Each structure stands twice: as C-alpha cells, then as structure tokens.
Amino acid sequence: YNQALETFKSADKVLLLLSFSLLFIINIICAFRWAFLLRIFGNQTENSKIFHIYNISNLYKYIPPKGINYIVRGSYLKKASNDERGKITSMFGEFYADLYVSIISSLILTTLLIKIPLYQALLLYLLFGILTWALISSNFLIRLLDLFNIRFEKLRRLIENFNVLTRNKLFYISMLFTVVATVMRGIALYLLALSLNMNSISIFNYLIIFDSAQFLANIFISPAGLGIRDIILISIFVSFGISTSNAIILSLSYRFLIFLPELLLWGISILIFRKINST
C-alpha cells in the first residue's frame, strides 16, 4: 500500500489523463459497434438510445452471474424500443469479436514467451485460420450438429443468424472497431505504465498483454474477469521482467482506471435514459 501511495504521488498526471481519455473513448466505440451489429438485422432503434443502453448495462458485468450485463441490455432495449430484431445475435457477434481478437493476441504472446520455431508458429496460425473458417461457416456447424444428432433448434437458429452477420460488411466494420479498441487499450496500459514510471517493456507487448489476459477471463466464470484477469496480468508482467510489487500496482491501477469511465458513462446514461422514458 505504501509503495502504491508513493508511486501515485510521483505519477505523471498528464499521462494518467491521456490513459483515462483513451479508455473513455473505447466505451463509446464499443457502444456504436453494437449499433452496427443491430443494423444488420434492420433494427431501427436510435443510436442515442443504443448508446445509453450499452453504457447502463456495461456496469452489470461486475455483478454475478457472468453475462448478466447481456440480460440487462436486452431488457433495456425492450423498454426503449419495440424493435428487438437481432438482439441476441448482435450480442453474440460482439462477444465473438472480442474473443476472436483476444485469441489472436494470446497466440502472438505465446509465440513470444515460449519462442517456438517459426514453422510451428506458422502451423499454429494455419490451424487458427481453419478454425476461423469453421466458426463462420454455418453449413459446417449445421452438419456438425447433424453428425452428433443435436436437435437444439435455438442453437441452430443462432448459427443461421450468425451466418447472416458474417456475410454483411457491417460485421467486419465492427471487427475493425474491436481491433481499434484493442490497440487503444494497449496504448492506455502503456501510458499508465509510463505515468507510474514502470515502462520496462515495449509498447507492442502492451498491445497484446491485456487482451491475452482477457481471453482467459472470458473463458472462466468470474464476472468481468475479476481476479482472474488481474492474476494473469500480474503473471505476464512478471514474466516480462517487471517486479512483483510493480506488477500488482500496475494491474490493479489499470483495473480501477477502466472502471472509472464505465461508472461515469453509466451515471450519465441512466439519468438521460430515465428522463427520455419519463417524457
């Protein structure tokens, strides 16, 4: 605690503000990414409402069970508009985009840390490319369900709707938004490390470190990756030569810095949303 206190007393406040600003912008990008995915299904809900619904629901990811934020988001969309087309598939597409980019980051990080031979790394990326094709090919997935005689109609409908997503250019624009958000998160983490005078690794490593930790956090049941992501981040920082105490301070500081803009946008959006609904 004392070390953390001293670290923040001498921190560069301008760099801290820049890091916070990037994380604030990321929330805006992610809100409009969801709007793009909804548009694929012809949803005509106003962008302003989608923006506020996303911000309100986003804070619920910290409440167990995992995924409660998606349920809350669907509930608020129903309150705001009678047009719920693409609600479930758009949220699944959003989760898929985040997971996909985090897997790529994890693969890059793994090849950097383990230093596997080039041919093995290329084989790994080739297998990932094949898996990508399988995931966006509805015919392949439907045949897989038929092979194992799985008759879960809701799952089949989700696969078919996801195929509609992947055949629309707006889906790939949303993927681009995901990549941009990922890069911005890495830069925000780099700026935070700079401000705390902990910059001992390259900016490229910061670009992939956070999303690599986010990959495992998505898999485990911890809401918003609480605890899981932080432990993984600390472990990765230490493996890159950052001291354990500095790794803990940097990881928890970044967690807090991510939460601040989410809290601010939640407060703004819930006030505006309630005012709109009351009128």
Side-chain angles (χ1 to χ4, degrees):
Y1 172 78
N2 290 333
Q3 185 178 341
L5 199 62
E6 290 301 317
T7 300
F8 274 94
K9 280 182 181 178
S10 59
D12 188 317
K13 305 303 186 293
V14 174
L15 291 175
L16 269 177
L17 182 60
L18 285 173
S19 181
F20 171 85
S21 301
L22 284 176
L23 293 171
F24 188 90
I25 294 169
I26 287 168
N27 283 276
I28 298 173
I29 289 174
C30 289
F32 285 105
R33 176 186 63 173
W34 182 42
F36 276 129
L37 294 172
L38 283 171
R39 293 290 178 264
I40 293 173
F41 295 92
N43 190 298
Q44 297 300 315
T45 306
E46 296 93 328
N47 283 339
S48 58
K49 287 184 178 180
I50 293 173
F51 176 75
H52 295 311
I53 291 166
Y54 179 89
N55 291 327
I56 292 168
S57 66
N58 198 30
L59 212 61
Y60 283 87
K61 67 185 177 185
Y62 294 101
I63 300 173
K66 189 179 181 74
I68 192 70
N69 55 311
Y70 293 116
I71 297 172
V72 171
R73 195 190 302 182
S75 175
Y76 269 90
L77 183 63
K78 189 174 183 179
K79 290 178 183 177
S81 171
N82 292 325
D83 193 352
E84 295 186 81
R85 286 175 290 176
K87 178 179 68 175
I88 295 174
T89 312
S90 64
M91 290 188 283
F92 178 76
E94 176 190 307
F95 172 77
Y96 172 87
D98 285 331
L99 187 63
Y100 186 83
V101 174
S102 67
I103 291 173
I104 293 175
S105 297
S106 299
L107 287 175
I108 296 171
L109 183 66
T110 301
T111 55
L112 286 176
L113 289 177
I114 301 177
K115 296 179 180 178
I116 62 177
L118 179 61
Y119 76 92
Q120 291 183 1
L122 291 174
L123 180 61
L124 191 63
Y125 293 128
L126 177 62
L127 289 172
F128 182 69
I130 294 171
L131 179 62
T132 299
W133 170 82
L135 287 174
I136 64 174
S137 172
S138 62
N139 292 332
F140 174 81
L141 294 174
I142 292 295
R143 287 174 184 172
L144 201 61
L145 293 178
D146 290 337
L147 178 64
F148 292 98
N149 199 27
I150 298 173
R151 300 299 175 189
F152 191 25
E153 289 304 318
K154 287 186 178 179
L155 179 59
R156 287 172 176 269
R157 200 176 306 122
L158 178 62
I159 292 171
E160 289 167 359
N161 287 340
F162 184 66
N163 186 50
V164 174
L165 271 183
T166 57
R167 299 197 184 287
N168 192 294
K169 66 179 181 180
L170 289 177
F171 173 76
Y172 296 97
I173 293 174
S174 74
M175 287 292 290
L176 178 62
F177 273 38
T178 305
V179 172
V180 170
T182 299
V183 171
M184 289 175 68
R185 285 191 190 97
I187 295 172
L189 181 56
Y190 173 72
L191 291 173
L192 176 62
L194 273 181
S195 71
L196 301 179
N197 198 27
M198 296 181 186
N199 181 38
S200 60
I201 56 180
S202 71
I203 187 171
F204 175 76
N205 288 330
Y206 281 113
L207 294 181
I208 60 174
I209 282 173
F210 179 81
D211 244 43
S212 298
Q214 188 65 19
F215 165 61
L216 291 175
N218 283 331
I219 294 174
F220 291 101
I221 60 172
S222 172
L226 285 170
I228 302 295
R229 189 175 72 196
D230 308 296
I231 291 170
I232 296 167
L233 270 179
I234 292 166
S235 302
I236 296 173
F237 287 146
V238 170
S239 69
F240 273 100
I242 297 176
S243 68
T244 304
S245 56
N246 280 348
I248 292 171
I249 292 170
L250 182 57
S251 175
L252 297 183
S253 300
Y254 195 54
R255 165 73 73 176
F256 180 69
L257 204 61
I258 287 172
F259 178 73
L260 277 180
E262 292 174 345
L263 181 63
L264 179 61
L265 285 167
W266 173 84
I268 293 170
S269 290
I270 202 164
L271 287 173
I272 294 174
F273 189 84
R274 285 178 176 175
K275 185 177 180 181
I276 292 171
N277 273 15
S278 65
T279 54

